[in-house]
Amino acid sequence: MSLSNIKRVKSSEIELKDRLVSIQRVAKVTKGGRTFSFSAIVVVGDEHGVVGYGLGKAKEVTEAITKGIDDAKKNLIKVPIIKGTVPHEQRGKYSGGNVLIKPAVHGTGVLAGGAMRAVLESAGVTDVLAKSLGSSNPHNVVKATIDALLKMRDAYTVAQQRGVDLNKVFNG
C-alpha cells in the first residue's frame, strides 16, 4: 500500500475517545536486580470513521497510557464506513498477525476478538464479522486491523480512481 493512499486526519479538529487495548509489565535485568517498566497499546477514535493507535512506554502505568494516547493522536486515519459496516471484505497483515474483516447486515454487532474489537468500535463500525487468523499478540493484531482498514475503499473512491461513472462501478 503506498503512503499516498493513507488518509491522515488532524487530531485537534475532533473529539476522540481512547481505549486501552493491552498493558504489559516488562523487566530489564541489571546487576542491581530487575527494573520494571510498562508498555501500553492504546486505540483512539471518534466513532465516525477516524481511528489511530499508539504505543507508550514508561516506569508508571498512567504515564505509559498517556504517552500511548499522545502517540495514537499522531497516527490518525480515515476509514470508509457505509451504513455502520465496512464496504467490502478485506484481509490485513502485519508481521505474524493476520485478520479478516467482512461486512455484516444491520443488527449483527461487532463480532471480533479483543484487540480487533477495540479498533473497529473506535472507528465507528457497528456491524462487522471479523476473525484473527494469525498471531494473537495484541500489537500485531491492532496493526493488522489498521492495515485492513487502510485498504478499504468505498464505491465513490473506486470510481474516482478509475475515472469512470459511479454506475459503471456497480453495473460494469
Side-chain angles (χ1 to χ4, degrees):
M1 184 108 236
S2 68
L3 291 174
S4 62
N5 289 355
I6 297 175
K7 306 144 216 120
R8 294 257 179 226
V9 180
K10 295 258 189 289
S11 63
S12 58
E13 302 163 3
I14 43 182
E15 184 67 33
L16 296 169
K17 294 178 185 160
D18 53 88
R19 294 183 70 154
L20 181 65
V21 176
S22 91
I23 190 147
Q24 277 144 354
R25 187 180 78 167
V26 292
K28 180 172 82 171
V29 180
T30 59
K31 66 179 182 181
R34 294 189 189 98
T35 306
F36 294 108
S37 64
F38 297 90
S39 79
I41 187 157
V42 182
V43 174
V44 299
D46 70 344
E47 297 178 354
H48 295 290
V50 175
V51 69
Y53 72 93
L55 177 65
K57 297 178 183 180
K59 298 276 184 201
E60 298 291 326
V61 175
T62 51
E63 285 180 43
I65 293 170
T66 306
K67 285 182 180 181
I69 292 168
D70 292 341
D71 189 34
K73 287 180 180 177
K74 293 175 190 169
N75 299 316
L76 294 176
I77 58 162
K78 183 89 176 99
V79 178
I81 297 172
I82 300 162
K83 296 179 185 172
T85 190
V86 292
H88 55 85
E89 184 178 320
Q90 188 64 57
R91 284 180 180 264
K93 182 171 175 18
Y94 181 86
S95 188
N98 287 311
V99 298
L100 171 66
I101 300 174
K102 287 182 175 182
V105 295
H106 180 70
T108 305
V110 179
L111 298 180
M116 283 178 70
R117 175 179 288 273
V119 175
L120 293 167
E121 286 179 350
S122 294
V125 179
T126 55
D127 303 296
V128 70
L129 301 169
K131 179 73 180 159
S132 177
L133 301 167
S135 166
S136 61
N137 177 354
H139 292 268
N140 290 339
V141 172
V142 166
K143 291 173 186 173
T145 307
I146 293 285
D147 177 54
L149 292 175
L150 272 173
K151 293 177 184 174
M152 295 280 179
R153 300 186 303 169
D154 59 344
Y156 180 75
T157 309
V158 173
Q160 219 174 18
Q161 286 174 341
R162 293 181 188 172
V164 296
D165 187 43
L166 196 59
N167 281 336
K168 191 148 176 80
V169 173
F170 291 110
N171 304 325

